[in-house]
Amino acid sequence: MKPIISIITPVYNEQACLPTFFKRVIPIMEDLGLPFEIIAVNDGSKDDSEKILIEECKKDSRVKAVNFSRNFGQQAAFLCGLKNCSGDCAILIDADLQDPPELFKEMIEKWKEGYDVVHGVRRVRKGESFFKKFTSSLFINLLSKKSGLDIPKNSGEFKLYDRKVIDAICSLPERSRYLRVQVAWAGFRQTAVEFDREERTEGETKFTLKKMLKTAEAGIVPYSPKTLKTSGKIGIIGLILSLLAFATFIVLTCLSNVIGFTLPLTAWLFPTIALATSIILISNGITDLYLSYLYEDVKARPVYIERDKINFGE
Ligand code: UDP
Ligand code: MG
């Protein structure tokens, strides 16, 4: 039977969590009474995750697994799940169950009400250090500001996507992928449900500081072409300040007899250097401006996405 709901989970060295994952998720999905599939994407695990997934797939044909050739990261694993799922909607959830599968019901209700994206928004985040909470909130704020998109705060990848959104995201031709930003860019009807995020009970976080920084870089850089305009902006400020300095110096020189003070010749060096530097920054800025348009074209995103059409026939 064709699944209506696809549950997608990325798996990286999660041998400790996987048995609990299936034990908890399968009964919840069965209670909902809708045909479902669970797609586990094994992101190059080095532990027994693959063995456990093979066992689960043998026991239950609704459980499906994809094994990556090596570790490609959580974002690649989620994308692979979305590309391989056949449900009318998909729910993304981490394998450690820090996000509660009990929330599926509420998410699906919102979807049935007509929402295309349902964000799981964390009220509290148990067991996470102040550093992790601070850096992830800094990351989201920076991402929203730099991308100019409305990215929900306190939410991770725990979300439900309608088929329209899945198809839109999968059809984006760009290579650098960051789901949260792509979904914010794609639009559609979006809503949120709140929950308390649990502590990881088994295994440990796979996001080391190095991985967190790499993910933050991969999230911010490709989605913030506005940053390319920084050099031009600094150049314009420098130009204004150096012209103001020149004007002040000229007035002071003209009034030297009145004020009884002559500017030393070396003083003119400062606005001259500032003027020369700002001209260089502005010319860099012009190149960057062209680069930012080129960058958008290289991404080759569609100019618009149609949510639905009325009176166009079938
Ligand atoms: N994960 C992955 N590839 C990676 C790192 C993590 O597939 O390179 C998976 C991991 O198995 C888990 C999810 O991504 O299902 C979230 O990872 P984790 O719980 O370590 O992140 P945290 O909750 O600490 O941010
Ligand atoms: Mg986790």
Side-chain angles (χ1 to χ4, degrees), residues 109-137:
E109 275 162 13
K110 289 280 178 202
W111 173 61
K112 284 183 176 166
E113 278 174 34
Y115 289 103
D116 303 309
V117 178
V118 186
H119 303 274
V121 170
R122 303 152 181 175
R123 261 188 308 249
V124 283
R125 301 170 67 160
K126 293 179 197 162
E128 283 181 14
S129 64
F130 169 77
F131 179 75
K132 176 131 189 177
K133 285 186 221 171
F134 174 74
T135 47
S136 70
S137 120

Side-chain angles (χ1 to χ4, degrees), residues 43-155:
D43 183 16
S45 298
K46 294 182 183 80
D47 65 357
D48 280 341
S49 297
E50 183 175 341
K51 228 191 264 173
I52 299 171
L53 289 177
I54 293 172
E55 279 310 308
E56 291 293 335
C57 289
K58 269 189 205 154
K59 273 197 289 188
D60 189 334
S61 63
R62 295 170 299 186
V63 179
K64 301 164 186 180
V66 179
N67 288 306
F68 276 179
S69 56
R70 64 166 173 85
N71 179 244
F72 283 95
Q74 186 205 32
Q75 289 294 317
F78 274 134
L79 178 66
C80 167
L82 288 173
K83 287 203 168 178
N84 283 284
C85 75
S86 43
D88 294 340
C89 74
I91 300 176
L92 274 46
I93 184 167
D94 290 347
D96 58 5
L97 294 186
Q98 280 191 272
D99 305 320
E102 287 72 18
L103 209 72
F104 290 173
K105 190 167 183 270
E106 208 180 319
M107 289 175 132
I108 292 167
E109 275 162 13
K110 289 280 178 202
W111 173 61
K112 284 183 176 166
E113 278 174 34
Y115 289 103
D116 303 309
V117 178
V118 186
H119 303 274
V121 170
R122 303 152 181 175
R123 261 188 308 249
V124 283
R125 301 170 67 160
K126 293 179 197 162
E128 283 181 14
S129 64
F130 169 77
F131 179 75
K132 176 131 189 177
K133 285 186 221 171
F134 174 74
T135 47
S136 70
S137 120
L138 188 74
F139 169 61
I140 293 293
N141 283 328
L142 207 64
L143 200 57
S144 299
K145 192 164 182 289
K146 293 286 171 192
S147 64
L149 295 165
D150 186 17
I151 299 165
K153 305 208 167 29
N154 296 321
S155 106

Side-chain angles (χ1 to χ4, degrees), residues 228 231-232 279-292:
L228 279 171
S231 135
I279 290 171
I280 296 171
L281 284 174
I282 290 170
S283 16
N284 275 350
I286 294 170
T287 317
D288 294 344
L289 201 61
Y290 279 89
L291 203 62
S292 70

Side-chain angles (χ1 to χ4, degrees), residues 12-18 20 47 96 98 199-206:
Y12 181 54
N13 296 341
E14 298 288 8
Q15 63 178 24
C17 297
L18 282 176
T20 326
D47 65 357
D96 58 5
Q98 280 191 272
E199 223 169 302
R200 197 184 238 275
T201 49
E202 278 134 329
E204 42 187 55
T205 178
K206 307 298 175 299

Side-chain angles (χ1 to χ4, degrees), residues 245-264:
F246 268 121
T248 318
F249 281 19
I250 289 168
V251 172
L252 287 176
T253 309
C254 293
L255 296 177
S256 57
N257 285 340
V258 185
I259 55 175
F261 168 74
T262 313
L263 273 176

